[in-house]
Amino acid sequence: MFVLLLTLALGLQWVLHERDTLAAWQPRWAPTLKQLCAPLGCEVAPVRRIDAIVIDSSTLVRRLGNFYSFDLVLKNTASIPLAVPALELSLTDTHDAVIARRVFLPEELPGALVLLPPQDSVTISLRLSLAVGASMPMAGYRALVFYP
């Protein structure tokens, strides 16, 4: 009887630990998992797996004066929906040194995406006004995604 109780406790601990993945895998389980978490102070959130998110393509194009468009395609390679990551855009000079950096949190991205669909791509387009001039000549950029 004691072994059965310990096995049940271990199973419950595993369910709580994997609650986000279980809710993404079987969305109909999410309400039950949320109820289970309520008295314990935990929450069910979108899964974060940065290794499954790939920047498929990105372009930074000057439009007019200091106005640029930055287009990025994020691909979710996982079989479950994943949380949208934050985006870091760094502008670089001719020596590949960073001259400006800006982080865009998921809620700041156009369309306010919350989830990246499984095995699918999402295009994100940003319109930027960049104050770069002769004193800070921009030669390139770097983009990366991460979870804060």
Side-chain angles (χ1 to χ4, degrees):
M1 182 65 165
F2 185 66
V3 172
L4 182 62
L5 188 60
L6 285 177
T7 303
L8 186 60
L10 181 62
L12 182 60
Q13 185 178 4
W14 177 82
V15 166
L16 286 172
H17 185 266
E18 296 297 324
R19 65 188 178 275
D20 299 337
T21 305
L22 290 170
W25 180 59
Q26 290 292 330
R28 67 177 187 257
W29 294 351
T32 304
L33 292 167
K34 287 179 183 178
Q35 284 180 338
L36 187 62
C37 274
L40 301 173
C42 63
E43 64 181 48
V44 178
V47 176
R48 294 177 167 209
R49 283 193 39 215
I50 201 66
D51 62 310
I53 298 175
V54 177
I55 296 176
D56 218 19
S57 65
S58 66
T59 57
L60 180 65
V61 178
R62 185 179 201 157
R63 295 295 178 194
L64 180 64
N66 287 338
F67 295 100
Y68 290 78
S69 66
F70 179 66
D71 299 310
L72 176 82
V73 177
L74 291 180
K75 183 174 184 177
N76 176 2
T77 61
S79 59
I80 58 174
L82 297 178
V84 174
L87 165 66
E88 179 184 287
L89 176 62
S90 300
L91 305 179
T92 58
D93 64 10
T94 54
H95 302 291
D96 202 35
V98 174
I99 56 174
R101 176 177 291 134
R102 170 76 158 82
V103 171
F104 298 91
L105 298 175
E107 56 271 12
E108 296 175 305
L109 298 175
L113 290 171
V114 176
L115 294 173
L116 295 175
Q119 300 290 316
D120 201 3
S121 298
V122 172
T123 301
I124 297 170
S125 297
L126 299 171
R127 302 299 171 246
L128 308 170
S129 176
L130 305 175
V132 292
S135 63
M136 291 192 321
M138 180 181 63
Y141 69 95
R142 288 191 292 251
L144 65 92
V145 291
F146 66 96
Y147 288 116

